[in-house]
Amino acid sequence: MPVVVLSGFLGSGKTTLLNHLLGNRGGTRIGVVVNDFGSIEIDAMAVAGQVGDSMVSLGGGCLCCAVDGSELDAYLEKLSAPVHRIDVIVIEASGLAEPQEMIRMLVASENPAIRYGGLVQVVDAAEFDETRAKHPETDRHLAVADLVVLNKTDRVEPAGLTRIEAELGTLCPGTPVVAADHGRIDPELLFDRRPWTETRGQLSFEDLISQARDAAEADHPEAHDAAHEEDHAGHAHTVYESTEFVSEQALNPRRFIDFLDRRPAGLYRIKGYVHFGVPGHEERYEVHAVGRFLRFVPGPWGRGEPRRSQLVLIGAGTDGPALLRELEACREPAPQDAPPESMWGVLRYVDRPAQPDTEPEPEPEPEPEPYEPDSYGDPDPEDL
């Protein structure tokens, strides 16, 4: 399961964004790790209320922990246990944390059930200049981000936003920047949402919201249309475009990697499966990209599953037809003739489990024979 790190300075809106993800997750089971100091109160969290030092279960399947960095591995192991049926884990880093350390711990983790899913840096647009002046390490954090959420854009004039976006383009060139207010971004930019198909025990937060909305609309039917339009206008998906690509032909790995390396900054998310068909690499490759973060996960094809590539590309301000033309140019009619080294670019982004040390231990050198002089009492020259 992917582990997404949510970072940003104090007050940037990380918890608000996290609450938005929890409230709009569909049937996805989200494990949440809150990394902060002391006891934590998350006043806006969906159903959690007070979150102490122990793990609690929320109605609907969210699990939250309050941990420090030294306990991260232990809590990730608990959250990834099959009994919890978690789909994705989101780590809300402390506002004073070093996200590089979180990344290092996740990449170095030996837990086979998890994989690093990218760093999302939340930036307070209203306090951007002051935060950088007081905390210059912010620039370093931006440099390692895979996706930047420019939050609280409703509190900044358009000219100011344009300037901040230009500065972000200098601080983290090539990193996609998503503008948001109140942390409202489309969860699909970070993880796939599952349809809500069942209620476990008590009603979920989403069920309660739906029932309250239905009741209000029943009492005031004349307000239904206006409320629906206002609600829809506030959804982040209204500014995103989705482009789908399907190819029955294999894709050339070198040309596909070149396409990924040159993907536009507005292309926030890429997900799907790729068929390369190169000898020795005929398996299905799942591709997952959040901003600049990229990962391939090889796996077997399902029984009877057709060998084809299926991709979904989500972004803003992107040229869908142009993206499709570039992907069409990645088709490979004769993958069986491709040399194995053509996969090297792809394999750079494949997590390889640590290999056990199988080298045999060197045999001990034989003990030297004790020196014995010859019968005349003089040493033999060969012995010397």
Side-chain angles (χ1 to χ4, degrees), residues 27 64 71 73 95 98 113 122 125-126 153 164-165 189 229 240 314 316 340 345:
C64 300
E71 298 173 310
D73 278 339
E98 285 289 341
V122 184
T153 55
I164 294 173
E165 290 173 346
L189 294 180
E229 289 184 8
Y240 299 141
I314 303 173

Side-chain angles (χ1 to χ4, degrees), residues 24-240:
N24 295 273
R25 55 190 163 79
T28 305
R29 294 174 64 85
I30 305 176
V32 178
V33 177
V34 177
N35 171 225
D36 218 318
F37 301 96
S39 66
I40 300 169
E41 180 178 338
I42 305 178
D43 52 6
M45 185 161 288
V47 191
Q50 295 280 337
V51 179
D53 292 332
S54 61
M55 185 168 61
V56 298
S57 177
L58 308 181
C62 302
L63 299 175
C64 300
C65 316
V67 301
D68 60 37
S70 64
E71 298 173 310
L72 184 58
D73 278 339
Y75 276 93
L76 289 177
E77 184 174 354
K78 291 181 180 179
L79 287 170
S80 61
V83 66
H84 299 310
R85 293 184 289 173
I86 293 294
D87 299 307
V88 59
I89 297 174
V90 178
I91 298 178
E92 182 188 349
S94 161
L96 301 176
E98 285 289 341
Q100 297 96 320
E101 181 63 18
M102 293 282 188
I103 296 173
R104 185 195 65 78
M105 295 178 68
L106 291 172
V107 172
S109 175
E110 297 182 357
N111 185 345
I114 65 169
R115 58 180 171 84
Y116 174 57
L119 170 68
V120 179
Q121 183 78 9
V122 184
V123 174
D124 185 340
E127 303 292 334
F128 179 72
D129 296 325
E130 185 176 356
T131 300
R132 288 187 64 207
K134 292 183 178 179
H135 303 278
E137 66 273 14
T138 301
D139 292 359
R140 187 174 67 251
H141 299 169
L142 286 167
V144 298
D146 297 296
L147 182 69
V148 174
V149 175
L150 184 58
N151 198 28
K152 305 184 184 180
T153 55
D154 56 317
R155 296 174 53 190
V156 181
E157 294 296 326
L161 281 178
T162 301
R163 177 184 62 81
I164 294 173
E165 290 173 346
E167 291 193 39
L168 289 173
T170 302
L171 294 171
C172 45
T175 303
V177 178
V178 181
D181 62 85
H182 299 89
R184 291 179 296 188
I185 68 170
D186 193 336
E188 289 281 347
L189 294 180
L190 305 181
F191 54 80
D192 295 335
R193 280 182 291 186
R194 300 180 184 273
W196 189 265
T197 56
E198 60 178 311
T199 300
R200 301 177 181 87
Q202 68 190 71
L203 288 176
S204 73
F205 183 69
E206 291 167 278
D207 294 330
L208 296 173
I209 290 293
S210 178
Q211 286 190 4
R213 181 178 299 150
D214 292 343
E217 291 175 354
D219 293 337
H220 305 280
E222 71 282 357
H224 170 78
D225 292 338
H228 175 74
E229 289 184 8
E230 180 181 354
D231 180 61
H232 185 79
H235 286 181
H237 69 75
T238 59
V239 299
Y240 299 141

Side-chain angles (χ1 to χ4, degrees), residues 311-325:
L311 297 171
V312 177
L313 303 93
I314 303 173
T318 55
D319 186 343
L323 292 174
L324 290 177
R325 286 194 297 270

